[in-house]
Amino acid sequence: MKKRDIVFTALVATTLSINAAELPDLAKPLNIPLLLSGNFGELRNNHFHSGLDFKTQGRTGFPIYCAADGYVSRIVVSPWGFGRAVYVVHPDLGITTVYGHLDAFAPKIDKHVRDIQYERETFSVDLSFTPGEIPVTKGERIATSGNAGSSGGPHLHMDIRDTDSEDPLDPMPYFKKYIKDDIAPEIRSIALYPVKGEGEVAGKTTPDIHLPAAFRQPFTAWGKVIAGIKAYDKMTGTANIYGVKHLSLTVDGKEVYRRTVDRFSFATTKAVNTLVDYAGVINNGSWTMWTYQPASAPLGYMVEAVERGIIDITEERDYKCEWTLTDEHGNTRRLPFIIKGVKEPITAKAAKGDRFNHDGKNSWTGDGIRVVLPAGTLYDDIDFTVTATPSASYLTPVYKIADRTIPVAGEYTVEIDLSSDTIADKQKYVLVRTGGKRVTRVDATYDNGVIKGSPNSFGSFAVTTDTRPPVIKPELPATWRKKRKISFIISDNLSGIRSWRGEIDGKFALFELDGKTGRLSFRMDEERIPLKKNHEVTLTVTDAAGNVADWHGEF
């Protein structure tokens, strides 16, 4: 890639003015002051945040209004993710708006959804609709705000997507006139990383991190290094922190790195892990963004980097560097710093294991285990190892596959042999990831003494069994009659809840699960279940290993 001498702030100003002039006017989704708890493109675990999170004053139940004329194209109801979500296509604008974490749908939408849920006898649905089925108009109430799915608190999540590509677009240009922001991004720390075997920083092979009090102190380095920065955007009227939209780095006045997050593809959203020091995220939960671009360049549409973002310190002098961070409103923060070239020996990198190439299929076979990485799994060439540690806690050794601080683009295949295959019910075998804060199940199947799984990251894995059924706990049954709401808390020890079925008086009842709390509830629907003195309630919950729990009672 050619080095480009571009005045970054001028580019941002041009981009913002183009957006302001060309974008259509959309209706506010909420009739309250618009404050954000999350912005577009925030770097999150394994994905970019795909929209704006609008605060709802810590409450649920605010009316949600449609942004423009169009039709409901999709409805999703799930215990996780967006929970309840409405997708509206706006044909005249070429965009689709998405409204997530909803408490309820507007009546004309809700009727379609509930009829299908009862017809299929399931809570979780993913429904598609044709243009004529559910038309909606600009400003029409389509739902009420909630806290459903994987929400961390009451709010409205809203996406704007390119209808043709389904790529999420930054909604901020559409709504920034309603959102006051005169605060520039905030820098928490800056860092310099040595490229292993090719560079040293402060005479070491580990990164050097400077906190604000040391920003004026120069880094010392020799050879190839990578610059990093931990920073967040801020906005007027809130204490929240947000993702940085525009980020650039210059060295001796020449731009060597630029990143702008104004759209992305869901196909590459996991590549968010390449924009940061992923080892720092995994080991310390610290999100330091860096200039390094991997060999596969999965985010080339949002990142431009000279020499893949690697700075080569080859002269004993001061290299004058500057970070520039800018938000959608044009608020800018600049931080100059110096890298002082100090010549010193560079520690050679010791090769470990087998060398896997990022641009092809890779496989590894050892005693009791086989690993296959399809082409496209790796972002970079890596040293690949597998080690086995005997364990009395599992049916197999614990296999450590590569280094868990190496990001991967998607799923790969692991096959582990069972040395003792004695359980009659083979679905009770569970492949688990170990070594983190908790043991978690990995999707896997049994085939003739072999457990075949599909992890989506490196780490340590083993096979165990799950023979314990889920736990069902009635929640305040004495209040069910008054509240006209039946509620349980359900949980599982290992493999996780796979399905549930509730019946009242022998008929299917729509029990709704909140995945984050484990609360399974049913609101009395007099049209389907007439009220009478006593009702018989039956609940069956099944986990992913096929263990079943039942509850029977009356109210």
Side-chain angles (χ1 to χ4, degrees), residues 190 210-218 335-338:
I190 55 176
H210 287 189
L211 299 177
F215 282 170
R216 294 188 178 184
Q217 297 178 11
L335 178 63
F337 65 98
I338 289 175

Side-chain angles (χ1 to χ4, degrees), residues 343-358:
K343 191 172 184 178
E344 55 191 334
I346 295 175
T347 305
K349 178 184 175 183
K352 297 180 180 179
D354 299 321
R355 193 65 176 170
F356 277 14
N357 296 320
H358 75 277

